[in-house]
Amino acid sequence: MDAAAEVRYLSLAGPGPRAGRILVVDADRQRLGLLEEGRLKAEYRISTGAAGIGGEDGSFRTPPGWHRIHARIGEGAPAGAVFRERVATGAVWEGEPLGEDLILGRILTLDGLEPGVNRGPGVDSLQRTIYIHGTNQPGLLGTPASHGCVRMACEDVLELFDRVREGDRVLIARGPMGRLHFAGAGGSGMSALAQFAVREGPVSGSDRGFDQGRNPGGRALLEQAGVAILPQDGSGVQGAAAVVYSTAVEEEVPDIREARRLGIPLLHRSELLAHYVGRYRTLAFSGTSGKSTSVAMAFEILRGAGRDPSVITGGDLRALRAQGLLGNAWAGGSDLLVIEADESDGSLVRYRPAVGVVLNLQKDHKAMEEVAAMFATFRAQAREAFCVGDAPNLEALAKDALVFGPGSRADLRCENVEEGPEGCAFTVRGVRFHVPVPGLHNVENALAAIAGCFSVGVPLPAMAAPLAGFQGVARRFQSLGTARGVEVVDDFAHNPAKIAASLRTARHRGTRVLAVFQPHGFGPLRFLRREFVEAFAQGLRPGDRFWMLDVFYAGGTVTRDISSEDVVADIRAQGAPALHAPSREGLVATLAAEARPGDIVLIMGARDPSLTDLAQAVLAALRSPGP
């Protein structure tokens, strides 16, 4: 069941008693939720009054406020039984198209409980003959289209009829969800969701990093977007409709402890995202590499093609940053939403997108067999279409899917691929594409974006110009500048496959590669130790240089049974030029002293926003005239 929808229904119902059954008609979302003892047991698509919400006689509006079920009419009648004036006519609708609106199946009449709102002279819901009933216009469900009653699909009204009784309370409401509080709002995925949630109601957040004075720019942009940033001491939880958290947030965080003490619902980040995925016509991109870039490309293609999409992602789109935004969320005006479906914590199995896309499968956070099983579930839950790369280890997902890639079995096949230091070009079904970001891995990313957009009806020729204008994603092989003939690149690469791709791309742009990597956690370094060693030992040439920083530690309880020195020793044993860098200040000085014209300095790592500061410091040192 949709946990975020449950929070919304409870928020609409308010703080009153929640015992027994309550039907909540959410007029904004055109959904009806059945609550039992405060838990959401069922949810249905509905249609309320086309004229809006209001209780006046003759208004053809759906009356607001609290009601009770006055009568249950039609028990035992055929599913398509036709009613007039709440009386069965004997006719049965069997699905044939009709111009007139019919009242079908079952009827639940509503008696208003609020004088002057839905009860009494001029506004009485019972006298206005307002009720819940089945409809022969199921295609209109999800939009306000009735003459004031609440319409449902025939099969749904039959199910609901059997679950409720006369006297059960019914609330017809609209308005924002109660305040959502995001514990860990500074995280990439959490900050995106917090910004997107602002469009539906008040949002607050907290983050240990903000309390410690880290990332003041990100905090300012969140506040600019409407997210109130509060101390992470538990105080911000009071009065919240729910507390949203991620896998990275520990149980000991004060906001989590206080939410449990107060009985405030806890929503995992993926539960809220799944709520949005179900509400929109969502393109969800998954895979162990390239998700953020493919999401950004798909968003820019859709926007360039005039589709006005929304986006929720973990990477900051430089096109949105140029608009003065944080860059990882945008609320468009259409029903299209582009998201990143994360496999690292298993959350992608919650999503039921319109279009699911899987780029690739490599060892990253989990065993490949475990991730493959999650991809299979993800594929089964795609509502309209599924797209998948043509790698051999994804073949089990390819049946009846749109396959993309360079291979002969691909439906969308890239041909005539040209790779240059500034980007790549390729052809798909006769349409020439140019991607202005370097690396062959970005051809795969672009093909994934093309496949997703193709699945929602965007013609291939309409994608070429937006893709050619793609502005990239922050920290995805982002060139910060050149000084003394040395280019400095800031990159998010943090798993072996991404590191191998980034090193390969850097070799095409520089005479030598001076690479720096910060592992983003003790667990990932331990799990992928052998693969990290292999990636660096094979990706570095004899003239290249490599330094590994200490493992990034964001706080909390972790097992620190591995170090960067351990992995550096393994890499050196393979004959590769690897060094441990215990001091950033010393590393900056070393890089500035060792770099020669034609070199490229590549700073890699995830989760730590200060890595960009390190890259900027290297560039500043190169620009400095020196002693």
Side-chain angles (χ1 to χ4, degrees), residues 105-167:
R106 302 288 186 272
I107 294 173
L108 299 172
T109 62
L110 302 181
D111 184 14
L113 299 177
E114 300 184 49
V117 176
N118 52 38
R119 187 180 186 87
V123 294
D124 198 281
S125 294
L126 195 60
Q127 294 298 318
R128 289 181 60 202
T129 62
I130 297 295
Y131 35 81
I132 300 170
H133 66 81
T135 180
N136 65 317
Q137 304 285 349
L140 296 178
L141 295 174
T143 59
S146 80
H147 301 299
C149 289
V150 178
R151 297 176 178 173
M152 301 178 67
C154 281
E155 61 272 19
D156 289 345
V157 78
L158 263 66
E159 178 184 298
L160 180 65
F161 185 90
D162 290 339
R163 300 182 74 158
V164 299
R165 294 294 178 264
E166 292 173 1

Side-chain angles (χ1 to χ4, degrees), residues 9 25-32 43-50 135 137-146 149-153 156 278-280 335:
Y9 288 123
V25 173
D26 184 347
D28 288 334
R29 294 177 51 239
Q30 293 293 292
R31 297 290 190 274
L32 183 154
E43 186 178 36
Y44 308 98
R45 295 174 73 238
I46 60 168
S47 184
T48 58
T135 180
Q137 304 285 349
L140 296 178
L141 295 174
T143 59
S146 80
C149 289
V150 178
R151 297 176 178 173
M152 301 178 67
D156 289 345
R279 284 182 55 190
Y280 288 81
D335 65 343

